[in-house]
Amino acid sequence: MRVHGKFDDLGRFADPSLLILTSLADGPRHGYAIMTDVAEFSGVQMEPGTLYGALSRLERRGWVRPLATQERRRPYEITAAGQSVLAEQLASMQQIVRIGRQRTATA
Amino acid sequence: MTRTLAARLSRALVGCYPRRWRQRYADELLDVLDQHRPAARTVLNLAASAVSTHLDPAYRLEGLAMTRLRRGALISAALAAPVVLTLGVLMGYGAWRESSWHPGDAAGVTALAFSPDRRILVSAIGFDEDGTDTVWNVADPAHPKQLARFEGGAPTAISPDRRTVATISFHDQPVLWNVSNPGRPAKIAALPGLPNVVLWGQAFSPDGRILAAAYTSQIDLWNVSDPARPRRMTTLAFDAAAPPHWYGFPGAIAFSPDGHILASTTSHDGVGLWNVANPARAVRVATLSGHTAPVAALAFSLDGHQLADVGYDGRLVIFNLTDPAHPSRAAILRTIAGSGAYFSTAYALDFSEGGRTLTAIADRISSGPLPSTAADETISRWSLTGEGAVTHTTILSHDTTSAGGALALAPGGRTLARGAPPGGGDIVYLWMLP
């Protein structure tokens, strides 16, 4: 499924922070597993530079937290604060989708 | 671009990230690159990410990627750099937008330090060895006078006699500068650093005889009675294994006013206290805890009975140190007005001379719904009892228009120096607080 691949270069529609938080919402994952999971559920091919740029910002904001390294790979998990930010963001996107649908239907 | 060239360039570009970032993430990122099979877009994306990380305030003391590339260590990357940088900016995936600063003009005030008697302020502009330090006479803050300029790295401490400035060099070495002759500042000594270990802070003892150099793994105590011939007296080791996520943050270090106690960030959530009355036989006496993030700034009251520290979690804790071996928490305070998700960028705090008020400045980038961000600054003052309990809280200012530059609060908590953020020019603003 390729949901919004053609909007990649606009940034906003492929916000890496949102994709990472969504990926971690159902359990901890390490870096490469996040990339493959994101590609699978959104069609966005996130590059390692983008991934780690976003991960380090999310970690500093306290929205994800690193877990102990397992065989060289460090899994990350979403925090309670990260979950509430994600919920808030998804609600606002839902609102956009709802309005967008209404307006395109009447147009 | 062939796969193997892309893989080689990608790995080389990991070396262009700031050192503190690399210490925390490089192993993981290299591991992901091994699994990912890098292509040309991976290389461009890494270049853009490395540059935007250098512009991030948490890493702003470090060199720009181009500085490192010019060293010739990564010649192939250097040849690709102009293309990589141009395309990289376009492919930044909104990374620029998440920062409140605009790339392009790298100048900005990167570090500030006051002398203990608050007559001298040293500011640094630019990055690392391309940066310039300026010594200011701010005895009359309304009429600051420029005394001297030298190229010396990030200033971290000024000796009590105002003759010596300790800076952190590009190579994480402590460097001592003689600034007693304003016309001719001179490098006195470069102390040996530790290989591949970040030096994040320094402090002079109140008698000016000891320089404490704080790394992410240890503190070295140097006898600098004769600054031209520093002698290492002892090394204070940290806890066995500090979790690596401390490395993104500069910590805090200070001597007590009588010079007997040294306090320093030692882990992701703790401050260590050492008795350094006899520096050669320094002993760890206690650990202060009360934060969920590293401590960013700390200060002793003038009588040494209280210590206040503020962490990147936005929390400020006042400890009663009447008996340093058995510290107790006197108060836990919030430094940030309002609520919501945020990440903090800079803190400063100090007690008033009588010890009855405590002033703190907290800068943060707040995050509304992704990816919008806004920066703000809160200046708070608390009235204290002799035991450190809070009787009154005043928000002196809550400014949502300016934040992001280097910060320093002069001893006593009445003069605030704030530097322009990267891209904001070579301007230092001095503020008199009420």
Side-chain angles (χ1 to χ4, degrees), chain B residues 13 26 44 51 55 61 64 81 94 118 122 192-193 203 206 212 223 259 273 289 294 322 374 384 392 394 418 423:
Chain B
L13 279 168
L44 299 178
V51 173
L55 293 170
L61 291 182
L64 279 171
R118 57 179 180 250
V122 180
N223 182 334
L273 295 185
S289 55
T322 314
L384 308 175
H392 189 68
T394 315
R418 191 160 58 186

Side-chain angles (χ1 to χ4, degrees), chain B residues 87-406:
Chain B
L87 292 175
V89 168
L90 299 173
M91 290 183 64
Y93 269 120
W96 303 112
R97 284 187 291 264
E98 284 210 28
S99 150
S100 47
W101 294 280
H102 301 285
D105 179 8
V109 177
T110 47
L112 291 164
F114 275 102
S115 64
D117 65 0
R118 57 179 180 250
R119 296 174 67 88
I120 300 288
L121 173 72
V122 180
S123 64
I125 54 166
F127 294 90
D128 292 326
E129 58 204 17
D130 292 338
T132 303
D133 295 81
T134 307
V135 184
W136 303 89
N137 180 335
V138 290
D140 174 5
H143 301 96
K145 284 194 275 291
Q146 184 178 319
L147 296 180
R149 286 177 85 107
F150 59 98
E151 310 221 325
T156 51
I158 302 172
S159 66
D161 64 6
R162 308 189 298 270
R163 298 170 68 89
T164 311
V165 176
T167 64
I168 296 175
S169 80
F170 182 77
H171 300 287
D172 281 321
Q173 281 181 293
V175 183
L176 298 175
W177 296 82
N178 183 339
V179 295
S180 58
N181 180 348
R184 282 203 190 81
K187 189 193 274 192
I188 315 171
L191 312 183
L194 300 174
N196 300 318
V197 179
V198 171
L199 171 68
W200 54 258
Q202 295 176 103
F204 281 101
S205 62
D207 64 6
R209 299 165 73 90
I210 305 174
L211 176 75
Y215 298 87
T216 46
S217 56
Q218 67 186 55
I219 297 170
D220 286 347
L221 296 185
W222 292 84
N223 182 334
V224 290
S225 316
D226 176 1
R229 287 180 193 75
R231 285 187 297 112
R232 180 157 33 203
M233 294 186 288
T234 189
T235 291
L236 313 175
F238 287 177
D239 317 324
H245 56 278
W246 176 38
Y247 292 134
F249 305 86
I253 182 166
F255 283 89
S256 64
D258 65 5
H260 290 178
I261 300 288
L262 177 66
S264 167
T265 306
T266 50
S267 71
H268 67 295
D269 61 356
V271 165
L273 295 185
W274 283 267
N275 183 332
V276 291
N278 179 350
R281 294 173 194 278
V283 279
R284 177 91 173 243
V285 290
T287 299
L288 306 179
S289 55
H291 292 279
T292 55
V295 164
L298 64 83
F300 284 92
S301 62
L302 212 57
D303 63 8
H305 288 173
Q306 276 133 39
L307 181 151
D309 67 13
V310 55
Y312 288 98
D313 54 3
R315 194 184 287 175
L316 188 153
V317 185
I318 304 175
F319 295 91
N320 187 327
L321 286 195
T322 314
D323 175 4
H326 299 95
S328 60
R329 267 179 238 166
I332 299 178
L333 307 164
R334 299 282 315 159
T335 56
I336 291 171
S339 60
Y342 62 90
F343 73 101
S344 44
T345 58
Y347 287 95
L349 83 167
D350 205 11
F351 288 91
S352 63
E353 254 132 43
R356 302 310 286 265
T357 67
L358 175 65
T359 306
I361 294 102
D363 278 12
R364 66 164 177 177
I365 295 174
S366 58
S367 306
L370 290 169
S372 67
T373 55
D376 68 3
E377 180 177 89
T378 307
I379 306 180
S380 316
R381 181 169 291 156
W382 296 273
S383 303
L384 308 175
T385 67
E387 285 73 46
V390 172
T391 56
H392 189 68
T393 303
T394 315
I395 303 291
L396 295 180
S397 112
H398 179 69
D399 185 348
T400 53
T401 55
S402 61

Side-chain angles (χ1 to χ4, degrees), chain A residues 95-107:
Chain A
Q95 174 80 348
I96 296 169
V97 169
R98 197 175 58 80
I99 303 283
R101 285 239 167 94
Q102 281 172 7
R103 293 188 182 174
T104 49
T106 55

